[in-house]
Amino acid sequence: MTGATTPPVTTPPAVGRPGRAGPPGKGGRPLALLAGIGGQNLSLLGALALVLTVFGLLDDNYLGWTNLQVIAEAATITGLLAVVQTVVIICGGLDISVGSQAGLASVVSAMAFTSAGSNALAGTAAAVGVGVLVGIVNGLVIVHGRVNATIATLAGLAAYKGVAQLLSDGRAQGYVLGDPVFVFLGRGRIAGLPVMVWILILVALAVHVLLTCTDLGRNLYAIGGNDTAARLAGIAINKYLVAVYALIGAVAALAGILLTARTGSGQPVSGSEGLELKAITAAALGGCALKGGRGGVVGTLLAVALLGALENGLTVQGVNAFWQNVAQGSLLVAAVVVQQSRSGDRAVGLPG
């Protein structure tokens, strides 16, 4: 009797682990580093360097440490909202209400602070609680109400702004600059950097680790890439979506708290209006595919830095704020056009 022959064992290639771009020692490592950064991020770095150089030549103080801190502080709130906007876009959603959520949280934080006898903990806890609540409401409307995410959060944009104005009677509320906690959050420094910037760094790092190093993050990419396949794979899509919108609400509340700390009072509209457009623009510029399944925190942060540097430079040069809005809208359109050209999708209204 002839014995069975054991087939040779082959090792399947690792999924999602690209090899080095060339042999080490012969240019492979630099090429691998560039490949790891990505073409999108390299383009953003180049654009950021160009903006800094141009405005640095126009104004000697533009690249000074003081002005760079001003740019970073101004971009922090937008950065927080853009980071969580990245998460929801990756899983195929969108949240247009983040600016209104931040404004509502700002009002709640200041009013709760005052009502609790100048208690900063009460103010921050109330704001975060409200943020998580409105985030869950958004998620439930989208998931169980079967409402398109854009329409649901567009309704939230109007509703949450209205609630903030009703609570505050349309005026700034409270005064928190006498409280050491709010002063530390809004004006404190750690190792020479504003506390607000450190908060953005920590949140961005946590979200980056979530997306790149956990099964939860991989599932979010899977949901955005192909929700049907994700459902068949056993991913609880509805629970993920509600959790993502709750996360957005929590971080939007944090942004509102920082807005209160920075301005010294709860702001129902001023300071939060237009933040949703900035957050979406940063995420799109950073490489997020608006159809879902692609994007990352690093690219979003580079886009936030680019938008912040551009806005500050135009302000320093005395350019009308209306033109800044035009530039921001143009960048969003340009980002979407580039995404469409890379995706290879047929242009609307034109033959394939």
Side-chain angles (χ1 to χ4, degrees):
M1 179 181 289
T2 305
T5 304
T6 303
V9 178
T10 58
T11 303
V15 178
R17 296 178 181 269
R20 299 189 181 194
K26 295 185 178 181
R29 288 179 180 173
L31 290 177
L33 179 60
L34 292 177
I37 295 174
Q40 178 82 21
N41 293 346
L42 286 175
S43 300
L44 288 171
L45 283 171
L48 178 60
L50 178 62
V51 168
L52 292 175
T53 301
V54 170
F55 286 117
L57 292 174
L58 293 175
D59 190 312
D60 293 337
N61 297 322
Y62 179 77
L63 293 177
W65 178 242
T66 300
N67 191 58
L68 291 178
Q69 289 187 86
V70 170
I71 294 174
E73 286 185 9
T76 297
I77 295 175
T78 301
L80 286 170
L81 299 180
V83 166
V84 287
Q85 193 74 245
T86 297
V87 178
V88 73
I89 291 177
I90 284 173
C91 64
L94 192 68
D95 195 336
I96 305 178
S97 67
V98 288
S100 294
Q101 291 182 50
L104 176 58
S106 177
V107 169
V108 169
S109 67
M111 294 182 70
F113 167 80
T114 303
S115 299
S118 300
N119 189 320
L121 180 59
T124 55
V128 172
V130 168
V132 172
L133 177 62
V134 298
I136 291 175
V137 168
N138 280 347
L140 292 176
V141 169
I142 292 167
V143 170
H144 296 292
R146 299 184 180 182
V147 179
N148 178 274
T150 302
I151 300 301
T153 56
L154 182 61
L157 168 69
Y160 303 142
K161 181 186 295 184
V163 172
Q165 290 172 325
L166 286 171
L167 289 176
S168 64
D169 199 22
R171 298 192 299 265
Q173 293 293 312
Y175 181 76
V176 302
L177 288 183
D179 182 78
V181 175
F182 278 103
V183 171
F184 176 72
L185 290 175
R187 305 185 181 188
R189 296 285 188 275
I190 297 177
L193 283 177
V195 172
M196 295 175 62
V197 176
W198 282 112
I199 291 174
L200 172 59
I201 291 172
L202 291 175
V203 171
L205 182 60
V207 173
H208 177 71
V209 171
L210 170 71
L211 291 175
T212 59
C213 302
T214 68
D215 290 335
L216 295 176
R218 284 185 280 273
N219 290 343
L220 290 176
Y221 280 103
I223 292 171
N226 190 326
D227 58 347
T228 301
R231 184 177 291 107
L232 293 175
I235 299 175
I237 296 179
N238 290 350
K239 292 181 180 179
Y240 271 88
L241 290 178
V242 173
V244 164
Y245 281 98
L247 172 65
I248 290 176
V251 176
L254 177 58
I257 292 167
L258 293 181
L259 177 61
T260 300
R262 191 179 179 202
T263 61
S265 59
Q267 302 292 331
V269 176
S270 178
S272 61
E273 194 167 26
L275 287 176
E276 55 282 328
L277 177 59
K278 290 182 179 180
I280 295 171
T281 301
L285 278 176
C288 285
L290 296 182
K291 293 182 178 180
R294 189 173 73 245
V297 171
V298 175
T300 296
L301 288 181
L302 288 175
V304 168
L306 174 61
L307 291 173
L310 180 62
E311 182 177 351
N312 180 269
L314 293 174
T315 301
V316 168
Q317 293 303 313
V319 177
N320 192 308
F322 299 149
W323 283 110
Q324 297 180 26
N325 294 333
V326 171
Q328 185 174 298
S330 301
L331 285 173
L332 177 56
V333 172
V336 175
V337 168
V338 170
Q339 285 184 16
Q340 283 295 108
S341 63
R342 288 181 175 179
S343 67
D345 291 343
R346 181 176 67 85
V348 176
L350 296 178

